[in-house]
Structures are given as C-alpha cells and as structure tokens.
Amino acid sequence: MRVLLVEDERRLADALVTILRKNKITADHAARGDEGLDCALSGIYDVILLDIMLPRMDGLEILKRLRREDKTTPVIMLTARGEIPDRVAGLDCGADDYIPKPFSADELLARIRAVSRRKTEIVSENSELKYGGVTLSTHLLRLSAAGGEVALTLKECELLEYFINNAEIIVSKERIIEKIWGYDSEADVNHVEVYVSFLRKKLAHIGAEAVITTIRGAGYRLCLKN
Ligand code: CA
C-alpha cells in the first residue's frame, strides 16, 4: 500500500511517516499544497491523507481539483479538533473520511485500512447495478444514464449502491450512517445530507429518471420521477 501525506507541520509529518513505514506502508510526504496536488494527481496512491491549512494551496482546494480530474483515490482529511464546518466542507469536496487531530497511530491506521479495503471490495466486485435507466459501475466508480456519464467518489458510490439495493423503500438517515459510515464513526446526519445532495446533482446531470426524494421525518427514497 502506498500513502501520500500532505502536511506542513514538520514534526507531525515526520511522526506519521515513521508510523506508516513501521507498518509496512510506503509513505510519501509533501509539505506544500501545490506539491501535494502534483503528487496526488499522479494516481499512484491507495490513500491520501490531507491536512487543511497548507502553504500555497489548502487541502480543500487540492481535494476539489483532484475530484474535478476524476481521481477517485480515497482521501482522509486531517482536521483540527472542532472544525465542524471544515469537516462538512471536506466531505462536500469529496473526502471519504476525516480524522480529528490529535489522533492515535492505531486510529489512523484503522481508518487507512478501512478506506482502502472498501475501495478494494468495491473494485473487485466488478459489478453493475441498474435502476430506472441508471447504471452504477461500482468497479469503475462511474454512473451513467441516457444523458451522459459521471465519476463518483467511493462514498458516493457506496451510498448510491445502498439506495439502489433498497430502491423504492424509505431509508432513514440513521440507517444510512450505520451502513455507510459504520457504528463507531463520528458521521452525523449532516454527512448524509451532503452526500445525498451530491448524488442528486449527479443524477440530474446525467438526465437520470431516478431521483432521491426526501420523506419528511423519515428519510429518503430512491424512486422514478413522476
Ligand atoms: Ca497545516
């Protein structure tokens, strides 16, 4: 496994690189944002750890540009404690997870394994799911319909897969958190709302007949447009 760490705090970066290497993870480090973006765009990494406040270019901008280039490498944002708006903003730009500073080595390693495992599972399943004229290629992280095709991040793909497998059934936000983020995650209903809004935009963008409707007080339902 190869991990890119973009972090300008020298001591933290050195400590993290040491931990990763000790755990047989190849780790590359970039201290500046612009340098981090160049490395990230190479597409050779299994996971990217991204700090937010960075010289030259901040972590959110790096993430945005990465996703704009259709790079779906899992990204974990390293956020300062209590930066809730930043966390939501990170997810808004296509982050797969975030970890609040300070964190333990074990926690970081667990999150890295979790995002890379989910990616491997999705990629190796090599499957296509269909609903209402929409095709979700989970192995390619792509969504297509009559009006075009669009790339999805890993989380978006997992969420849409869940919706398609539960098409026309009402699913609660709590159930989604449990299924997509896991019991022990810090994700809350904001995360679900943010991701549902991305999926809605992408479904609309490709002219999909399927829509995610809000069922007030109950959750969401994937169904066909009236
Ligand atoms: Ca920083």
Side-chain angles (χ1 to χ4, degrees):
M1 179 159 25
R2 195 174 189 106
V3 168
L4 171 67
L5 168 67
V6 189
E7 168 66 69
D8 61 327
E9 235 177 279
R10 195 79 227 180
R11 267 169 42 195
L12 177 61
D14 288 347
L16 291 179
V17 167
T18 306
I19 290 166
L20 294 171
R21 289 183 183 159
K22 257 190 203 156
N23 285 275
K24 302 192 168 45
I25 294 171
T26 308
D28 294 334
H29 170 235
R32 289 200 329 253
D34 52 346
E35 188 193 343
L37 176 65
D38 285 344
C39 294
L41 285 172
S42 70
I44 63 168
Y45 296 101
D46 299 299
V47 176
I48 297 169
L49 305 176
L50 204 49
D51 183 29
I52 293 182
M53 297 296 286
L54 290 163
R56 303 279 181 95
M57 185 186 294
D58 70 43
L60 294 176
E61 186 61 28
I62 295 173
L63 182 57
K64 260 188 242 168
R65 295 200 191 190
L66 199 61
R67 297 307 188 221
R68 212 184 290 150
E69 296 292 320
D70 274 0
K71 300 285 186 210
T72 53
T73 313
V75 170
I76 302 174
M77 305 296 295
L78 309 176
T79 63
R81 190 171 283 279
E83 285 177 336
I84 299 292
D86 278 350
R87 289 181 194 178
V88 174
L91 296 171
D92 203 27
C93 299
D96 295 278
D97 202 357
Y98 58 81
I99 182 165
K101 292 175 185 172
F103 45 81
S104 70
D106 286 346
E107 192 183 358
L108 178 68
L109 292 166
R111 304 259 183 138
I112 291 173
R113 288 193 195 104
V115 294
S116 67
R117 189 170 53 234
R118 283 201 298 268
K119 172 123 187 167
T120 311
E121 275 167 10
I122 282 189
V123 170
S124 62
E125 274 169 14
N126 196 20
S127 66
E128 279 190 347
L129 290 164
K130 290 177 196 285
Y131 175 75
V134 169
T135 302
L136 172 67
S137 304
T138 56
H139 57 302
L140 298 173
L141 300 177
R142 295 200 80 84
L143 179 65
S144 59
E149 198 183 57
V150 71
L152 298 180
T153 64
L154 187 58
K155 269 277 178 273
E156 290 169 348
C157 185
E158 287 179 316
L159 182 56
L160 189 56
E161 185 178 16
Y162 184 67
F163 274 123
I164 293 176
N165 285 332
N166 293 280
E168 292 170 12
I169 295 169
I170 297 173
V171 287
S172 70
K173 293 175 186 175
E174 292 72 23
R175 185 86 183 126
I176 292 171
I177 293 171
E178 202 179 292
K179 281 283 165 191
I180 309 298
W181 279 271
Y183 283 110
D184 55 349
S185 100
E186 291 177 49
D188 56 31
V189 292
N190 283 332
H191 294 68
V192 181
E193 287 163 7
V194 167
Y195 274 95
V196 165
S197 76
F198 302 152
L199 285 178
R200 281 176 171 155
K201 277 182 210 152
K202 291 191 173 180
L203 285 166
H205 181 71
I206 58 167
E209 286 299 306
V211 286
I212 301 169
T213 54
T214 301
I215 311 295
R216 195 169 284 277
Y220 299 105
R221 183 167 60 172
L222 179 71
C223 56
L224 295 178
K225 265 188 215 167
N226 290 328

